[in-house]
Amino acid sequence: MENKAINPLISPKPSEAKPDTELESLRIWGKHPLSGHVHISGAKNSVLAIMAGALLCPQHCRLRNVPSLADIAKMRQVLEALGVKIERHNDTLELDTSHLSTSKAPYDLVSQLRASFFVTGPLLTRLGTARVPLPGGCAIGARPVDLHVRGLQAMGAEVHIEHGIVHADIRGSGGRLKGAKIYLDYPSVGATETLLMAATLADGETIIENAAQEPEVEDLANFCRAMGAKIRGAGTNTITIVGVPNLHSVDYGIIPDRIEAGTFLVAGAITHSEISISPVIPEHLTPVIAKLKDIGSEIVLDGPNRLRIIPGELRATDIETLPYPGFPTDMQAQLMALLTLAEGNSVVTETVFENRMRHVAELVRMGADIRIKGQNAIIRGVSHLSGAPVLATDLRASAALVLAGLAAEGETLVQGLHHLDRGYDDLETKLKGLGAKVQRVSP
Ligand code: EPZ
């Protein structure tokens, strides 16, 4: 192995004291086949919404299969700032939500984690008031919350934004939101989850039309039902919630993370390796499996919740991201990394977020041939990628760069690991378990 060390300070200019992981990098020696099995952790995007959902119940909630992620640690801080008592034992969280001390979520925490805006609906419907900073945009898009706000207003809340803070209050009507019929202009995951949670304690029936159908929305609904909520149609585009006066404590297990699972399937395809993953819910991966088959891999069911990928020659294909059950935007970057090595030309179209192509420049740094035209990336397959120092710009972009590094000749240094740590539970240990040559390095 040629050990010409790559200078980690090539591109990022540290501007302020940043959490260590921001300055950490992952060194990857590519072109090593993977083999064996990898365990898939609980779903980040379920846990974040469900942790906020625990605020609906004035008792105690136990959440099992909770991954160790920076985002979940941040959400814990937000809930503790509201007065929730939280203990963690391995992958189990114990939440005591009986005594909330405030309905104001702290700016410094909310500004670091968009998902903390999910506390708005539960605080408002339980306490009759909520003060939550606007989450603001992020690397992948403006990410407005207008659909959340309009839905809460339709349920009778008074909502206005003042100095960057969303002020939401229930005036009169016995201090409860009112059931309402709400049509979402876009099947937003976050807006569906906010309104679903708010409606659980409302007075009357709420119908959310053009609702998001993501598995994480269904998982949140199942969690609320386990606490006694009356919800029908979660997982379809029409969800009906009949409000109840209160909810009770629950012990709930989180679904497996379909995006982590999809990322490992791509790790198998891009390194031409046969690996297996579990636990997974195969239906949740239907669009990803369909595309991996188009590209030339075989995916077999090795048991009720276990998948195995058998690699094949990589062929080009086109991908368009869409709300579920369409192809997930959270897998776009990873599939793009794979298509850089596929025979022929592929077009990847991102329709969900307006700025989710920032991994392209870094993949090109590794020798990929990609041109961007608006929301389309035109990819001409190349015979190989070369290792290089690259910079992660967001969570899924970081995963794509790690995958490209596993397939590249020589050494890749992925910088900005704080993005990766937000959504992947101990990725490098899992990759090492499959035989990958990776090492986390800090300056
Ligand atoms: C959730 O974000 C996920 N995050 C995202 O995962 C995921 O990419 C996204 O859903 C789509 O699947 C969590 O669950 C914590 P949206 P969310 O509301 O709820 C627009 C990852 O990598 N919109 O469905 O914010 C919005 O701007 C992350 O794990 C409005 O215009 O997504 C976007 O273009 C990234 N107004 C589109 O809808 C609104 O009020 C989809 O957003 C709300 C959204």
Side-chain angles (χ1 to χ4, degrees), residues 149-223:
V149 168
R150 284 216 310 268
L152 293 173
Q153 289 169 330
M155 299 171 81
E158 278 183 24
V159 186
H160 70 280
I161 295 164
E162 204 179 294
H163 307 302
I165 310 273
V166 174
H167 292 241
D169 297 286
I170 305 174
R171 305 249 186 268
S173 73
R176 290 178 76 186
L177 289 172
K178 283 253 161 299
K181 201 169 186 177
I182 302 165
Y183 175 83
L184 290 178
D185 291 350
Y186 185 90
S188 151
V189 171
T192 303
E193 293 174 330
T194 290
L195 303 175
L196 182 154
M197 291 189 278
T200 56
L201 297 174
D203 177 11
E205 179 179 273
T206 297
I207 300 176
I208 307 173
E209 292 178 314
N210 197 27
Q213 304 176 48
E214 271 69 3
E216 296 76 24
V217 171
E218 207 175 337
D219 204 24
L220 173 66
N222 291 339
F223 167 72

Side-chain angles (χ1 to χ4, degrees), residues 44-45 48 114-115 118 140 142-148 186-191 193 214 329-330 352-354 356 395-396:
K44 167 183 82 83
N45 290 345
L48 292 172
R114 284 187 43 74
F118 288 156
I140 65 177
R143 324 260 324 239
V145 292
D146 55 316
L147 298 173
H148 303 235
Y186 185 90
S188 151
V189 171
E193 293 174 330
E214 271 69 3
T329 173
D330 296 348
V352 178
F353 290 107
E354 66 272 23
R356 202 169 206 180
L395 166 58
R396 306 305 171 182

Side-chain angles (χ1 to χ4, degrees), residues 77-92:
Q77 289 177 294
V78 172
L79 295 182
E80 285 172 338
L82 296 170
V84 181
K85 304 261 174 314
I86 302 181
E87 282 175 28
R88 183 169 188 140
H89 310 288
N90 304 323
D91 68 352
T92 298

Side-chain angles (χ1 to χ4, degrees), residues 26-32 270-271 337 340-341 362-363 366 385-388 390 398-414 431 436-438:
L26 195 67
R27 210 183 278 285
I28 305 168
W29 291 273
K31 287 261 177 235
H32 287 276
I270 205 167
T271 57
T340 63
L341 292 164
E362 299 305 296
L363 289 171
M366 298 177 74
L385 295 175
S386 323
V390 290
S398 59
L401 298 177
V402 170
L403 293 170
L406 292 173
E409 282 165 6
E411 195 183 308
T412 294
L413 190 74
V414 180
L431 285 173
K437 301 278 179 268
V438 296

Side-chain angles (χ1 to χ4, degrees), residues 10-90:
I10 285 179
S11 38
K13 307 249 171 316
S15 52
E16 56 181 302
K18 299 223 167 89
D20 287 355
T21 61
E22 183 151 355
L23 297 176
E24 286 185 349
S25 308
L26 195 67
R27 210 183 278 285
I28 305 168
W29 291 273
K31 287 261 177 235
H32 287 276
L34 308 181
S35 61
H37 170 265
V38 63
H39 171 80
I40 300 301
S41 300
K44 167 183 82 83
N45 290 345
S46 268
V47 179
L48 292 172
I50 288 174
M51 284 174 76
L55 292 169
L56 293 165
C57 151
Q59 297 171 348
H60 174 274
C61 290
R62 173 179 297 139
L63 302 181
R64 289 176 283 104
N65 196 26
V66 176
S68 302
L69 303 173
D71 276 9
I72 290 170
K74 198 70 68 193
M75 183 60 108
R76 174 178 177 167
Q77 289 177 294
V78 172
L79 295 182
E80 285 172 338
L82 296 170
V84 181
K85 304 261 174 314
I86 302 181
E87 282 175 28
R88 183 169 188 140
H89 310 288
N90 304 323

Side-chain angles (χ1 to χ4, degrees), residues 102-407:
T102 175
S103 62
K104 293 191 177 69
Y107 175 81
D108 60 334
L109 291 173
V110 173
S111 61
Q112 294 171 41
L113 176 68
R114 284 187 43 74
S116 46
F117 191 75
F118 288 156
V119 301
T120 310
L123 285 175
L124 177 64
T125 199
R126 178 172 161 189
L127 304 177
T129 178
R131 300 279 178 275
V132 181
L134 276 175
C138 77
I140 65 177
R143 324 260 324 239
V145 292
D146 55 316
L147 298 173
H148 303 235
V149 168
R150 284 216 310 268
L152 293 173
Q153 289 169 330
M155 299 171 81
E158 278 183 24
V159 186
H160 70 280
I161 295 164
E162 204 179 294
H163 307 302
I165 310 273
V166 174
H167 292 241
D169 297 286
I170 305 174
R171 305 249 186 268
S173 73
R176 290 178 76 186
L177 289 172
K178 283 253 161 299
K181 201 169 186 177
I182 302 165
Y183 175 83
L184 290 178
D185 291 350
Y186 185 90
S188 151
V189 171
T192 303
E193 293 174 330
T194 290
L195 303 175
L196 182 154
M197 291 189 278
T200 56
L201 297 174
D203 177 11
E205 179 179 273
T206 297
I207 300 176
I208 307 173
E209 292 178 314
N210 197 27
Q213 304 176 48
E214 271 69 3
E216 296 76 24
V217 171
E218 207 175 337
D219 204 24
L220 173 66
N222 291 339
F223 167 72
C224 293
R225 284 157 52 134
M227 293 195 294
K230 293 196 170 19
I231 303 174
R232 298 191 312 279
T236 75
N237 63 8
T238 305
I239 304 177
T240 304
I241 307 106
V242 178
V244 295
N246 45 55
L247 298 170
H248 55 73
S249 66
V250 68
D251 177 332
Y252 191 81
I254 306 289
I255 59 172
D257 195 313
R258 64 191 166 106
I259 306 298
E260 184 196 20
T263 303
F264 276 106
L265 289 178
V266 175
I270 205 167
T271 57
H272 301 283
S273 310
E274 182 166 337
I275 62 171
S276 61
I277 63 173
S278 73
V280 295
I281 299 173
E283 301 76 60
H284 292 173
L285 284 153
T286 303
V288 175
I289 292 171
K291 282 298 166 187
L292 286 171
K293 286 185 174 169
D294 284 356
I295 296 171
S297 304
E298 220 190 302
I299 312 278
V300 291
L301 198 56
D302 253 4
N305 60 355
R306 189 184 176 107
L307 290 175
R308 183 157 46 88
I309 181 162
I310 301 167
E313 287 316 302
L314 303 178
R315 296 187 297 264
T317 190
D318 295 344
I319 289 174
E320 179 172 355
T321 66
L322 290 166
Y324 191 89
F327 186 89
T329 173
D330 296 348
M331 282 298 301
Q332 178 256 94
Q334 299 93 314
L335 264 290
M336 190 186 292
L338 181 62
L339 290 170
T340 63
L341 292 164
E343 179 69 35
N345 300 342
S346 309
V347 177
V348 171
T349 307
E350 173 58 55
T351 74
V352 178
F353 290 107
E354 66 272 23
N355 190 19
R356 202 169 206 180
M357 292 272 185
R358 301 178 67 196
H359 39 282
V360 168
E362 299 305 296
L363 289 171
V364 168
R365 190 191 294 275
M366 298 177 74
D369 180 345
I370 311 173
R371 286 139 222 245
I372 295 189
K373 286 212 172 358
Q375 289 299 92
N376 301 306
I378 294 109
I379 306 152
R380 286 207 186 90
V382 295
S383 60
H384 67 281
L385 295 175
S386 323
V390 290
L391 181 64
T393 47
D394 59 74
L395 166 58
R396 306 305 171 182
S398 59
L401 298 177
V402 170
L403 293 170
L406 292 173

